[in-house]
């Protein structure tokens, strides 16, 4: 470590010199039923098993203990929903009552420790109540983001085999109601595994039809139920499974271990985000993503904060001043969102006219993650808000920050373009293809030396081999992050690109492989490729290339529209797949490998040398022309 600041170095070194002691000390922030006798067991798996002989309950730590500490009247959740014009405050006492009632009803209906429950809900308090209630009885939740289509939900049902599904009747997107119930019904038809029952939270914007003998109304289901004790689970028992994109259409079920999750989130709130009990924290994300799990729900509640649950968009609900209104109205100390949200606001209010309308004195910091924070956006946010703008890097797999700027230990110098430095628990290296450490200032694959710290994934749900193949095989002794970048001479880490087929669209992680699998199902498509091309607002967006079967003589535009529709139907609107182009052939090397990175360079008008291995250069001209028709590849640089 060459970072020249004392407090951070001391903290990091205290982890390096005695990780066991470091994580046992951190575990004291959690109320255990049985305190673990050791932190790490590395004999079970190279990634490590944390707090395995401890007994604990997540919901108890997020709710009960604050009520027991006399904080019951404090506000746990502020629900602010410009799309329904609703605002509501829920105290810890009220949350305790609501969570107990649902947990008791779930238990009475046969849900027990280790059972899975899928939660398919919009951004309403009932989503958080559901997550906490499932955790209370030691069951495992798997939240599915509302922007996914029925097919994606079906894939997750088949993978985690939920005994129950808790869903909302609808989500509300600006200008349209997204009816969840027909998607849920369709998913259950498509899935081979059938849940025993569903609990439906009816929103007044759209009442869903309930199926006799399978669907319960949220309120009727809970009638007569009051409370149930939190069920202690082992430190390594999963609290949740969260599916994330891999390189194929089959998403990866990231498993979150209970003990490490609690410890890492409480450690991070204090040391990284500089947030303590009673503060108001706002993560403007969605409960369907890992940011939502960690920073809308669990971390703020575990340490006794007030969390803001915002159902709206940064712009258009109703204007680009919404974020500033929420901050000033609810006294938000820290905001956490994806850079895309700020790009959207900047696009509509570059001069910050809406910023001036609100008193933002309460705001002390802005945290950005989920995608690369481009310097323009960071500098604009700094100028508008006059607070530290902290980029930090993490993944669904880790559940919390890997590389960041630990404001709670000591704010470090911000280098725009870098999420700063590794957090205790993370030994980051940059490796070349042979697995050799390339040292400083050199590009390579970013890897983390094993074991991984508490809270990170110990495996993928029901897919141990895939877990090893995806993360541990390429670089023995290291976890492969899938990101490429470098470490500079001062020890700052830079995250520059993915090394796999994952793209990042508006902070949402998506698989181009999954989209290709959908395109390939179209009867006229012989071959296809999907690439992520740079986008001013969303960072990246997918563009598909399709080659048609010989003999197909329908209009290319018709087929292009059909495949766009197909991706929306099969993956969901969240894929933002709006452009497909028909071309004659895909550019390939002589050995048959599709030259995706070359296609991205053409789209981005980047200068490059035509690869010597390409089988036919004319195809690059065809791609350039096709992209040009869709507003990409403005100039030709090859
Ligand atoms: N349920 C149903 N549909 C959803 C949805 C949900 N929960 N969330 C998004 N969608 C739909 C949108 O309506 C949109 O549909 P459309 O193609 O019919 O317009 C599509 O999915 C793409 O959504 P999104 O990527 O959010 O784009 P957008 O144009 O609606 O909004 C931003 C653009 C920048 C305002 C928006 O992406 C945003 O606020 N991003 C913030 C970043 C963020 O929350 N990241 C999460 C990880 S931290
Ligand atoms: P997700 O699992 O959805 O959180 O996505 C994780 C991926 O998003 C990472 O592997 C990175 O590719 C990207 N990512 C997240 N945070 C950052 C960041 N601060 N800078 C650059 N890329 C990021």
């Amino acid at each position: 470590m060459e970072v020249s600041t004392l407090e951070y170095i001391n903290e990091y070194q205290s982890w390096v010199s005695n990780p066991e002691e470091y994580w046992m000390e951190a575990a004291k922030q959690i109320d255990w039923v049985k305190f673990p006798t050791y932190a790490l067991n590395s004999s079970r798996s190279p990634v490590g098993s944390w707090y395995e002989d401890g007994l604990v309950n997540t919901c108890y730590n997020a709710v009960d203990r604050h009520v027991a500490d006399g904080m019951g009247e404090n506000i746990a959740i502020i629900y602010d929903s410009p799309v329904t014009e609703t605002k509501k405050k829920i105290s810890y006492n009220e949350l305790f009552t609501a969570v107990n009632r649902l947990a008791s009803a779930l238990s009475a209906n046969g849900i027990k420790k280790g059972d899975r429950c899928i939660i398919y809900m919009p951004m309403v308090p009932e989503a958080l109540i559901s997550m906490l209630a499932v955790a209370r009885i030691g069951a495992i939740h798997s939240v599915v983001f509302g922007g996914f289509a029925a097919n994606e939900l079906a894939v997750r049902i088949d993978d985690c085999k939920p005994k129950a599904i808790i869903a909302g009747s609808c989500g509300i997107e600006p200008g349209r109601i997204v009816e969840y119930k027909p998607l849920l019904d369709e998913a259950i038809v498509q899935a081979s595994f059938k849940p025993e029952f569903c609990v439906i939270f009816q929103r007044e914007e759209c009442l869903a039809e309930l199926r006799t003998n399978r669907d319960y109304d949220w309120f009727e289901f809970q009638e007569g139920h009051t409370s149930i004790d939190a069920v202690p689970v082992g430190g390594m028992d999963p609290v949740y499974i969260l599916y994330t994109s891999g390189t194929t259409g089959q998403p990866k079920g990231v498993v979150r271990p209970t003990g490490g999750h609690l410890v890492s989130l409480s450690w991070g709130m204090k040391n990284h985000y500089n947030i303590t009990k009673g503060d108001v924290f706002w993560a403007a994300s969605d409960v369907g993503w890992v940011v939502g799990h960690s920073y809308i729900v669990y971390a703020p509640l575990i340490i006794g904060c007030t969390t803001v649950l915002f159902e709206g968009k940064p712009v258009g609900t109703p204007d680009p001043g919404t974020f500033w209104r929420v901050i000033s109205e609810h006294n938000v100390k820290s905001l956490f969102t994806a850079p895309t949200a700020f790009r959207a606001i900047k696009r509509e209010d570059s001069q910050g006219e809406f910023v001036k309308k609100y008193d933002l004195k309460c705001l002390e910091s802005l945290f950005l993650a989920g995608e690369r924070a481009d310097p323009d956006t960071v500098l604009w946010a700094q100028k508008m808000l006059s607070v530290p703008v902290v980029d930090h890097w993490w993944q669904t797999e880790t559940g919390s920050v890997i590389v960041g700027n630990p404001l709670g230990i000591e704010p470090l110098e911000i280098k725009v373009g870098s999420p700063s430095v590794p957090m205790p628990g993370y030994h980051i290296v940059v490796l070349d293809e042979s697995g050799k450490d390339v040292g400083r200032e050199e590009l390579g694959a970013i890897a983390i030396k094993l074991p991984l710290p508490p809270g990170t994934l110990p495996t993928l749900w029901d897919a141990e081999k895939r877990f090893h193949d995806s993360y541990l095989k390429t670089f023995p002794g290291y976890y492969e992050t899938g990101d490429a970048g470098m470490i500079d001479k001062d020890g700052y880490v830079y995250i520059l690109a993915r090394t796999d087929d994952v793209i990042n669209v508006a902070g949402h992680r998506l698989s181009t492989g999954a989209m290709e699998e959908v395109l390939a199902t179209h009867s006229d498509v012989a071959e296809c490729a999907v690439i992520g091309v740079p986008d001013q607002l969303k960072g990246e967006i997918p563009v598909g290339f399709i080659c048609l079967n010989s003999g197909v003589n329908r209009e290319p535009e018709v087929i292009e529209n059909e495949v766009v529709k197909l991706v929306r139907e099969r993956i969901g609107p969240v894929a933002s797949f709006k452009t497909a182009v028909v071309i004659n052939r895909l550019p390939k090397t002589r050995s048959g490998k599709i030259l995706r990175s070359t296609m991205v360079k053409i789209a981005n008008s980047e200068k490059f040398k035509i690869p010597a291995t390409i089988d036919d250069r004319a195809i690059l001209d065809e791609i350039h022309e096709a992209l040009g028709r869709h507003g990409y590849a403005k100039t030709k640089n090859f």
Side-chain angles (χ1 to χ4, degrees):
M1 283 290 106
E2 282 79 2
V3 182
S4 56
T5 42
L6 207 56
E7 304 288 333
Y8 160 72
I9 291 289
N10 285 347
E11 188 75 24
Y12 192 85
Q13 284 307 328
S14 72
W15 163 67
V16 172
S17 54
N18 196 339
E20 180 70 17
E21 193 179 293
Y22 190 86
W23 292 121
M24 284 302 269
E25 187 58 33
K28 291 182 186 157
Q29 298 306 312
I30 296 306
D31 285 2
W32 300 80
V33 176
K34 174 181 173 273
F35 195 78
T37 56
Y38 53 90
L40 174 69
N41 175 358
S42 44
S43 66
R44 267 221 250 164
S45 140
V47 286
S49 172
W50 291 95
Y51 310 117
E52 59 185 18
D53 74 341
L55 284 176
V56 70
N57 181 276
T58 299
C59 177
Y60 180 88
N61 276 276
V63 185
D64 301 39
R65 67 166 169 169
H66 307 310
V67 173
D69 281 354
M71 282 171 45
E73 292 303 318
N74 284 22
I75 300 303
I77 301 170
I78 297 175
Y79 171 54
D80 189 311
S81 167
V83 292
T84 57
E85 295 180 359
T86 313
K87 288 176 202 168
K88 192 168 151 189
K89 292 187 177 173
I90 299 170
S91 68
Y92 274 98
N93 278 336
E94 288 165 332
L95 185 61
F96 178 81
T97 305
V99 167
N100 260 289
R101 202 188 298 129
L102 179 60
S104 161
L106 288 169
S107 169
N109 279 274
I111 306 295
K112 54 184 191 321
K113 181 170 175 274
D115 287 341
R116 275 81 58 209
C117 292
I118 278 187
I119 297 172
Y120 187 51
M121 284 202 138
M123 288 284 285
V124 291
E126 288 72 13
L128 280 67
I129 291 167
S130 302
M131 292 164 80
L132 292 162
V134 171
R136 184 170 192 83
I137 52 176
I140 303 167
H141 62 67
S142 187
V143 180
V144 179
F145 177 61
F148 282 123
N151 176 60
E152 290 289 323
L153 182 53
V155 168
R156 286 156 175 78
I157 293 174
D158 275 336
D159 198 73
C160 77
K161 303 183 173 51
K163 218 174 200 178
I165 299 184
I166 309 175
S169 60
C170 68
I172 298 157
E173 284 294 288
R176 77 190 158 101
I177 303 271
V178 183
E179 290 191 35
Y180 282 15
K181 187 58 181 13
L183 296 172
L184 172 63
D185 291 341
E186 174 59 28
I188 294 175
V189 169
Q190 279 183 29
S192 314
F193 181 86
K194 308 293 175 195
E196 285 176 16
F197 64 91
C198 300
V199 181
I200 309 296
F201 175 68
Q202 299 276 25
R203 303 189 75 182
E204 61 186 40
E205 290 75 14
C206 147
L207 293 182
E209 223 174 273
L210 302 188
R211 302 212 169 173
T212 330
N213 299 331
R214 191 197 73 188
D215 300 341
Y216 295 100
D217 168 76
W218 170 270
F219 291 103
E220 285 168 16
F221 179 71
Q222 300 181 54
E223 233 168 57
H225 293 280
T226 51
S227 69
I228 183 166
D229 285 344
V231 174
V233 303
M236 282 304 286
D237 285 337
V239 57
Y240 69 77
I241 303 164
L242 180 59
Y243 287 88
T244 189
S245 298
T247 50
T248 68
Q250 179 68 27
K252 294 168 168 174
V254 169
V255 171
R256 186 76 58 220
T258 300
H261 180 236
L262 288 162
V263 175
S264 69
L265 292 184
S266 85
W267 182 93
M269 279 312 249
K270 175 171 176 286
N271 294 290
H272 186 259
Y273 299 95
N274 194 27
I275 293 291
T276 49
K277 197 178 268 200
D279 289 340
V280 181
F281 190 79
W282 177 23
S285 176
D286 189 286
V287 287
W289 306 114
V290 69
V291 175
H293 279 61
S294 293
Y295 293 106
I296 296 174
V297 189
Y298 288 117
L301 296 180
I302 287 165
I303 65 158
C305 284
T306 300
T307 183
V308 178
L309 177 69
F310 174 73
E311 189 182 27
K313 301 260 172 178
V315 293
T317 58
D319 57 42
T322 309
F323 270 30
W324 323 135
R325 176 194 60 78
V326 172
I327 291 169
S328 77
E329 199 172 315
H330 304 307
N331 204 28
V332 171
K333 180 175 173 187
S334 263
L335 167 64
F336 177 170
T337 192
T340 303
F342 268 72
R343 286 197 293 270
I345 298 170
K346 179 173 165 238
R347 194 164 75 163
E348 291 200 8
D349 183 26
S350 64
Q351 299 308 310
E353 295 306 328
F354 282 89
V355 184
K356 292 176 201 150
K357 290 187 186 177
Y358 298 93
D359 177 356
L360 300 179
K361 271 201 304 291
C362 55
L363 189 72
E364 292 185 11
S365 48
L366 166 66
F367 291 90
L368 299 176
E371 58 178 320
R372 191 172 162 265
D374 55 289
D376 275 0
T377 305
V378 173
L379 295 172
W380 184 80
Q382 267 171 2
K383 188 170 152 207
M384 290 298 139
L385 302 175
S386 308
V387 296
V389 177
V390 177
D391 178 15
H392 59 315
W393 170 62
W394 52 296
Q395 309 183 312
T396 304
E397 288 84 345
T398 64
S400 65
V401 54
I402 309 169
V403 166
N405 193 330
L407 295 194
I409 297 170
E410 174 187 31
L412 304 182
E413 180 202 343
I414 290 174
K415 290 197 193 187
V416 176
S418 164
S420 301
V421 297
M423 291 298 101
Y426 289 100
H427 178 151
I428 311 276
V429 290
V430 180
L431 305 176
D432 69 12
E433 277 178 12
S434 69
K436 194 170 136 283
D437 189 336
V438 300
R440 296 293 161 93
E441 309 273 343
E442 285 288 330
L443 285 176
I446 302 188
I448 301 167
K449 197 166 185 309
L450 299 175
L452 293 174
T456 53
L457 82 172
T459 187
L460 293 174
W461 182 257
D462 205 17
E464 183 66 14
K465 180 171 180 322
R466 188 177 183 198
F467 170 67
H468 277 264
D469 291 351
S470 307
Y471 302 107
L472 308 179
K473 203 165 140 185
T474 314
F475 304 120
Y478 296 90
Y479 163 87
E480 183 184 8
T481 65
D483 282 306
M486 65 143 193
I487 305 178
D488 77 4
K489 60 179 179 7
D490 299 322
Y492 277 62
V493 180
Y494 291 74
I495 309 296
L496 300 170
R498 287 289 302 189
T499 56
D500 55 14
D501 297 333
V502 164
I503 59 170
N504 205 309
V505 181
H508 309 319
R509 175 166 156 184
L510 298 164
S511 159
T512 53
M515 295 182 218
E516 287 173 4
E517 284 178 23
V518 174
L519 299 187
T521 63
H522 190 286
S523 57
D524 291 343
V525 171
E527 243 194 327
C528 62
V530 175
I531 57 166
V533 303
D535 181 77
Q536 290 256 317
L537 174 66
K538 298 193 176 186
E540 259 181 320
I541 47 165
V543 171
F545 296 87
I546 47 178
C547 307
L548 304 182
N549 288 316
S550 59
V552 173
N553 50 18
R554 299 164 67 219
E555 283 299 314
E557 289 77 17
V558 174
I559 301 171
E560 287 167 1
N561 289 338
E562 283 172 6
V563 298
V564 165
K565 199 163 153 263
L566 203 58
V567 173
R568 195 178 170 93
E569 275 166 17
R570 297 284 293 278
I571 296 181
V574 67
S576 293
F577 185 85
K578 308 239 157 133
T579 310
V581 290
V582 171
I583 53 174
N584 283 311
R585 276 168 302 106
L586 293 172
K588 290 185 185 166
T589 61
R590 289 189 191 100
S591 61
K593 195 166 171 280
I594 300 173
L595 289 163
R596 286 166 215 278
S597 60
T598 305
M599 295 161 85
V600 174
K601 285 182 185 135
I602 298 176
N604 204 20
S605 305
E606 261 176 65
K607 206 169 173 167
F608 70 94
K609 254 182 84 190
I610 297 181
T613 50
I614 189 165
D615 60 351
D616 176 3
R617 295 172 176 212
I619 187 62
L620 301 185
D621 293 322
E622 192 190 336
I623 288 179
H624 181 261
E625 203 192 305
L627 284 168
R629 287 198 300 273
H630 293 271
Y632 303 104
K634 296 226 165 58
T635 53
K636 188 170 169 186
N637 281 319
F638 59 93

